[in-house]
Every structure is written in C-alpha cells, then in structure tokens.
Amino acid sequence: MLCTRLTNARILTMDPDHPVAHDLGIWRGRIVGLDEAVTSLPAREVVDLQGATVLPGFIDSHVHLAWAGLKADTPSIAPCQRIEDVLAVIEEAAARKGEPGAWVDVAGYDQRALGRHLTAAEIDRVSQGRKIFLMHDSGHACVVNSAVLDLLPAEVPHQDGFLAESAMTAVRRLRLPYSQEELADAIERAGRGCLAEGITACAEAGIGGGLLGHSPVELGAYQLLRDRGRLPLRVQLMAAGDTLRPRAAHRDDGIPRALDLGLRTGFGDDWLSLGALKIYTDGGMMARTAALTEPYEGMSHTGQFQDEPERIADLVVDGHLAGWQLAVHAIGDRAADLALDALERAQRLRPRPTARHRVEHAGLIRPDQLPRFARLGVSAVVQPNFLRYFGDDYADVMGERRAPWMYRGRGFLDHGVTLVGSSDRPVTDGSPLRAIQFMVERASTSGRAIGPDEAVTVDEALHAYTVAGAYACHWDDSAGSLTPGKRADLVVLGDDPRTVETSRIGDIEVVATYVDGRTEPVKE
C-alpha cells in the first residue's frame, strides 16, 4: 500500500524518460512510480491536486541559513535612505540594550542607498556606550563605532569605521561565537522560509570560519536540529577553507591539510551532510571588493583578494588533495582566473574527474574564460536575483562592455558548463521562481535589460534549480527529478512556469512543499 498518491496533477518530472505525469506514488519518503504504475494501487492518502503543477523540490545550492535567520531577528535600517534616519534606528536599538558595553547588531546596511558610508564618529553620537556593528548586506564589510575600533589591533585597516573583507572578519572575531541554541533557532527560522518558497534542500555556504562562520562548533547547531526533528529541509554543509589544519597523515595518503579525523565531502546522511570546502578568493560587487582585471567604472581600483594569491591557490590545491569537492568563491574575473588556475593545478597533481568542483557566484566571466570552465568540468553556481535587484548598479560599475558578462546563463550552457541556480540568501531575495523569471527575461526590477543575450529558456532555468542543483551537490542519484527511487521532495505550484507569461513566473503561488513525502501547507 502506498503512503500517498498525488493525482490529477501536471507533474513536470525533469526526467527525460518520463517528462510529464498525472499521478505520483510515495512510499516511505520515496517515489515508487508514476501514472499507470501507481494509479490503481491502494494508498493511505490520496491527494487530488485539481490540476496544479508539480515539480521536483527546488535546490538552493548556495545559502547562509544562520546569517539569514539571525538577520531576520535583528533591527534593520533598510530601506533608510537618509543618514539621520539610520542614526535614529541605531539609537533606538542601542537604547534597548540595557547594559553599557553591550554589542548591538544592526542589519540592512548598504552605502549605495545613502550615497556614502557612515562614519564611526556619526555612530558614536547615538551609541550610548554600546558597541555598534552594522553588517553590510553583501556580507563582505561592516561599519562600527569607536568603541569597537578601540578593541582592534592597530594594524587592522579601516576607513572612518568602515572595514571590508579580512578587516571585517577581525571585528567579528571580537564577539564570536554564537551559542548552538541561538544558531539552531536562526537556522530553523530561515529553513522554514526556504520551504515557503518551494525549496526542499540547500547547501550552506561556509561554516566554522571564513567571513561568515558563527562558531568553531557550528556544525553542532545543525546536528542539534537534526536530533530534535526540527531541521525543516535537507542541508549540505560547506566547511570554511580555514577550518583545514595541517595533519600528520600517512605519506601515501598525500593529504597535507584536513579537518579532524579526515572528514570530507560526502560524510553524513540524506538530511545533513558535509559538502564542498568553501574557499574565498575575492570580495563582492556590492562592496566594490570583487577582484577585476580592469578598474570599476569611474573608480581607480580593481577590488581585492582575501589573502595573498599564492596562499589561496595552495589552499585550493590542498583541499583537492585531501579529497574535498571545492566551492571557490570568485565574483570578479581576476578572481576567476585565480580559481581556475588553482583548480587546473590541483587536477594536474591528482586527477579527480568526478570531483565536481564549483565556482561560486562567477559574477563577471570574460568570454575567454568560458572554455576553461568547460575544460575543467567546473560548475558555475550563480545568483540570478543579484541582477534582478542590483543589476542597475552592477551594470553601471561594470560599464557597457562588461555588463553582459555578469552572472551569465546562455554563455555557460553553450559551452557545456553546468549552470546551477542559487540565492546567497540573505544577501537578496531567495525565491527560486523570481530568479527563474530573471534568467529568462534578463531584466532588473526597473526594466533595464542586463545582458539579454545571456537569457535561457524556462526549461533550462528550471533545470538549474533542480537537476543541476542536485548534480552540484552530488545528490543526482536521489534528488533533482521526480524519478522512481528518488526522494519524494517536491513542490506544488498554482500555475505552470512554462505556460504563464514570463513576467508572471515570479508571482506563481507555492501551494505546498513536500520533503520526504510529507508536506506543510505554505498558505492558509
């Protein structure tokens, strides 16, 4: 007897052997058959979907759940556009912290809305003896007051309280770690937000260190949720690159650096596992720290690397030698050169054609770099909603010649590169449907066309958030398509993204999300 049979549905399986179905059978969290194979079988529950569209659950291959959950519970200055309004929010947040010297977090900081960065002196006027930390929305910078600057070593660079990249990391280390209970609550909160958007699995992009780690024992917060049955969706964890340490392994293993006990990609189960090793090369476009080969338009600088290029490349190679899949953060084209060079060297030293290494973001990729992605078998994990919401600004700072190279779609596919969709939540909107709409129409919210030649079809965009997402996370044997034997992870939509007007894709209702064959209604 089936546990559940879904019937009277338009099921888009993403499986070329059986692309469309009307019935789907579920038993013990797995898909057991489609259409005639299950239509006559008895089931404990029969769900008439009344013509709704069913797709494999969306896979968001690059998220920050803990950061997203914490940010949602933090006072925010967005969408303030005047310095005095921002300072008023900071003053109110500081007043809520009863004890002098307490840390006060404020989210939603983006200097572009203000026309310039805040200064430490301005924040001092309203800080009331507290330590103020404003996290930049990009995750690559912050602004703090003098009470924080006084705690930093003299060699940490800042500009009137603005700190970027490794300097921001120095600030965060003053007040970390968060407790596992606090992180677990934040992760659960963000995970439920993912479910509401049809996401059934995600890859957490860097825990335990790096720019955005929250605790050296951060994995324990996810395990705590798993043990308590509170993990809302499947999560694959990327360990931050700086969590690797020199290990005295046997010389025949050829492993120079590793996590304790040699843990690496693939450890875990269907709900919680270790994925790629996350390695940063550069910063971000929003903070103007992405590493470019030519200066930003109207500026005299080309961004920056997170560390000495040789040290970054050595970490990439050591991670590969230790058996990890690598997820290399590279937004600018100069950073992509560094990432591709290091990955090529790593594969030359120890060929691993099944490693499925990834470049995270691939924000600005020159035409000459596309064949290198293909030759190395590297996936491009892009965030289409970056251009949907920030495209006007990004196009301005890249200029007319380079703007079409941003967050490519067609260019990758035409070169045979696996194109993977993701959000980088909470940097921007996490909705896969809105991202899919952008991938097809390549228009920002203002209507500006951003590299229209990089547009893909609806089917190709859906593929990026299902089949390709599963491939990038080594889940293709159990997820990504509605195929018998795979997990019963799926999303029920109020309309078919392939048949509605492109401009309506992002507004399609997510009716329900199934994980392991069980569902929670998304809307009352």
Side-chain angles (χ1 to χ4, degrees):
M1 175 179 285
L2 299 175
C3 296
T4 305
R5 185 173 73 248
L6 306 181
T7 189
N8 189 20
R10 181 184 300 153
I11 301 171
L12 310 180
T13 68
M14 304 304 293
D15 180 352
D17 292 334
H18 194 148
V20 180
H22 52 78
D23 277 21
L24 181 147
I26 299 170
W27 184 70
R28 293 189 177 181
R30 294 275 171 168
I31 298 166
V32 296
L34 300 165
D35 293 339
E36 292 75 16
V38 296
T39 300
S40 61
L41 294 180
R44 294 191 183 95
E45 178 188 34
V46 177
V47 181
D48 184 345
L49 291 176
Q50 300 179 351
T53 297
V54 177
L55 279 161
F58 296 126
I59 296 171
D60 192 332
S61 299
H62 186 119
V63 302
H64 299 281
L65 293 180
W67 177 22
L70 292 168
K71 182 178 180 180
D73 204 34
T74 299
S76 176
I77 60 175
C80 296
Q81 297 184 341
R82 300 190 309 162
I83 298 293
E84 52 266 38
D85 293 338
V86 172
L87 294 176
V89 173
I90 297 171
E91 184 171 27
E92 182 180 355
R96 293 198 205 107
K97 294 281 187 177
E99 64 280 12
W103 283 91
V104 178
D105 289 309
V106 179
Y109 179 69
D110 184 347
Q111 85 285 355
R112 297 172 304 172
L114 303 172
R116 66 171 176 83
H117 283 296
L118 286 176
T119 67
E122 288 171 327
I123 301 173
D124 288 343
R125 297 201 304 266
V126 297
S127 59
Q128 303 175 54
R130 278 63 167 177
K131 302 181 186 75
I132 309 296
F133 178 87
L134 277 70
M135 181 73 154
H136 196 277
D137 270 349
S138 68
H140 287 269
C142 66
V143 176
V144 300
N145 64 343
S146 298
V148 176
L149 295 177
D150 291 344
L151 300 175
L152 289 170
E155 65 271 15
V156 175
H158 72 90
Q159 301 169 14
D160 296 325
F162 172 76
L163 302 98
E165 309 303 346
S166 59
M168 180 200 72
T169 302
V171 174
R172 296 188 77 240
R173 286 175 179 160
L174 294 174
R175 48 89 52 85
L176 296 176
Y178 289 87
S179 73
Q180 288 191 359
E181 290 284 355
E182 187 176 8
L183 290 175
D185 289 344
I187 293 160
E188 183 180 19
R189 186 182 306 122
R192 297 205 173 280
C194 290
L195 283 181
E197 293 172 341
I199 298 164
T200 56
C202 66
E204 170 69 50
I207 64 167
L211 285 178
L212 296 171
H214 295 87
S215 167
V217 292
E218 194 166 357
L219 187 150
Y222 291 86
Q223 195 167 359
L224 185 152
L225 287 173
R226 176 79 170 98
D227 291 345
R228 294 178 180 175
R230 290 171 47 200
L231 193 62
L233 72 170
R234 304 182 196 278
V235 180
Q236 188 178 87
L237 303 171
M238 299 185 199
D242 58 1
T243 60
L244 262 61
R245 296 286 183 269
R247 298 297 177 205
H250 193 283
R251 65 176 180 273
D252 290 348
D253 294 337
I255 298 176
R257 282 187 270 186
L259 288 187
D260 287 343
L261 302 178
L263 291 175
R264 60 176 172 81
T265 302
F267 184 82
D269 61 21
D270 280 351
W271 280 92
L272 184 63
S273 62
L274 272 178
L277 183 72
K278 171 74 176 295
I279 298 175
Y280 286 93
T281 64
D282 65 345
M285 286 189 189
M286 192 188 305
R288 313 308 195 223
T289 52
L292 311 177
T293 52
E294 299 176 20
Y296 289 86
E297 285 289 309
M299 304 177 196
S300 59
H301 70 91
T302 58
Q304 65 188 78
F305 288 125
Q306 294 286 347
D307 199 348
E308 293 298 322
E310 296 78 11
R311 287 168 56 89
I312 296 171
D314 286 346
L315 179 56
V316 169
V317 171
D318 286 356
H320 174 87
L321 294 177
W324 287 89
Q325 178 191 23
L326 302 175
V328 186
H329 167 115
I331 291 184
D333 60 330
R334 182 160 57 106
D337 281 334
L338 172 59
L340 295 170
D341 288 346
L343 290 169
E344 186 169 18
R345 175 157 68 98
Q347 289 284 20
R348 189 166 57 245
L349 290 172
R350 181 177 295 174
R352 284 174 52 214
T354 60
R356 300 188 189 180
H357 294 322
R358 314 157 34 145
V359 168
E360 308 299 299
H361 308 299
L364 186 75
I365 301 300
R366 302 186 309 270
D368 65 287
Q369 292 173 317
L370 293 170
R372 291 197 71 194
F373 271 80
R375 188 169 66 251
L376 291 170
V378 175
S379 298
V381 184
V382 301
Q383 297 76 41
N385 274 338
F386 277 16
L387 293 190
R388 178 176 169 83
Y389 293 97
F390 310 141
D392 294 350
D393 173 64
Y394 286 10
D396 287 344
V397 297
M398 289 301 108
E400 184 177 354
R401 179 173 61 90
R402 292 181 294 182
W405 304 345
M406 294 192 297
Y407 297 92
R408 290 176 178 269
R410 176 57 53 203
F412 285 125
L413 292 179
D414 284 352
H415 282 79
V417 177
T418 300
L419 177 66
V420 184
S422 68
S423 70
D424 204 16
R425 83 173 60 226
V427 176
T428 191
D429 188 338
S431 165
L433 287 170
R434 285 189 279 276
I436 287 164
Q437 177 178 323
F438 174 82
M439 294 176 79
V440 178
E441 65 184 9
R442 295 288 298 193
S444 70
T445 52
S446 74
R448 180 175 179 175
I450 312 288
D453 290 345
E454 290 295 323
V456 302
T457 67
V458 175
D459 282 331
E460 289 167 334
L462 291 171
H463 188 277
Y465 276 91
T466 54
V467 178
Y471 175 86
C473 296
H474 287 272
W475 282 331
D476 43 314
D477 62 341
S478 59
S481 65
L482 300 179
T483 303
K486 291 191 176 183
R487 305 168 186 161
D489 296 352
L490 51 94
V491 58
V492 181
L493 302 178
D495 217 327
D496 185 343
R498 304 174 311 166
T499 60
V500 301
E501 291 290 331
T502 301
S503 61
R504 291 184 50 218
I505 292 175
D507 295 323
I508 292 174
E509 178 187 6
V510 177
V511 177
T513 305
Y514 284 74
V515 182
D516 218 32
R518 297 185 295 272
T519 183
E520 295 181 31
V522 174
K523 299 196 175 183
E524 294 289 337

